[in-house]
């Protein structure tokens, strides 16, 4: 099961990248919640902070997959960012129903796709 996907990546590499990114997201969201509680930050500041959390967590997953792939790193990072967004979107639909604003979804898609791609390129 080591080299099932094209480019030398197995499905297990994607699972590990998802777990790493999800753990980083959870930890940073706890930090954001604590900051919001203690500082009473504004909604615009919180939106920027949450976008940075998304970008950073997908960046880490892109770096991991880029290191594991060895070639076409930016492409694997981009694929990871898109897949992470789709999981994120699915969970949002399951939790809050189909009431997600399109502009916010597009912004999240761009942030996650670019974050993963940059992570792949940096690796």
């Amino acid at each position: 099961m080591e080299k099932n996907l094209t480019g030398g990546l197995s499905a297990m590499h994607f699972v590990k990248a998802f777990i790493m990114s999800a753990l980083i997201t959870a930890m940073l969201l706890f930090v954001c919640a604590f900051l919001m509680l203690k500082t009473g930050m504004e909604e615009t500041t919180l939106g920027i902070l949450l976008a940075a959390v998304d970008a950073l967590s997908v960046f880490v997953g892109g770096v991991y997959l880029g290191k594991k792939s060895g070639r076409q790193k930016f492409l694997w990072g981009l694929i990871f960012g898109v897949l992470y967004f789709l999981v994120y979107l699915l969970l949002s639909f399951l939790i809050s129903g189909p009431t997600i604003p399109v502009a916010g979804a597009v912004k999240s898609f761009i942030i996650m796709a670019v974050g993963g791609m940059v992570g792949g390129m940096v690796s």
Side-chain angles (χ1 to χ4, degrees), residues 18-106:
F18 270 105
I19 290 171
M20 283 191 312
S21 293
L23 289 175
I24 290 170
T25 300
M27 287 188 306
L28 291 177
L29 286 179
F30 280 124
V31 170
C32 289
F34 180 76
L35 287 174
M36 197 168 117
L37 177 69
K38 292 298 180 183
T39 64
M41 69 176 69
E42 297 178 17
E43 188 175 331
T44 55
T45 307
L46 181 63
I48 292 169
L49 201 55
L50 292 177
V53 166
D54 288 340
L56 182 63
S57 61
V58 175
F59 175 82
V60 170
V63 168
Y64 175 77
L65 284 179
K67 287 189 182 296
K68 293 297 178 180
S69 71
R71 61 188 183 104
Q72 295 181 333
K73 298 175 180 187
F74 73 96
L75 181 62
W76 289 113
L78 176 65
I79 290 169
F80 176 73
V82 171
L83 290 175
Y84 196 82
F85 169 76
L86 292 175
V87 169
Y88 181 82
L89 191 65
L90 176 68
L91 290 174
S92 296
F93 278 145
L94 292 174
I95 292 170
S96 65
T99 59
I100 298 171
V102 174
V106 169

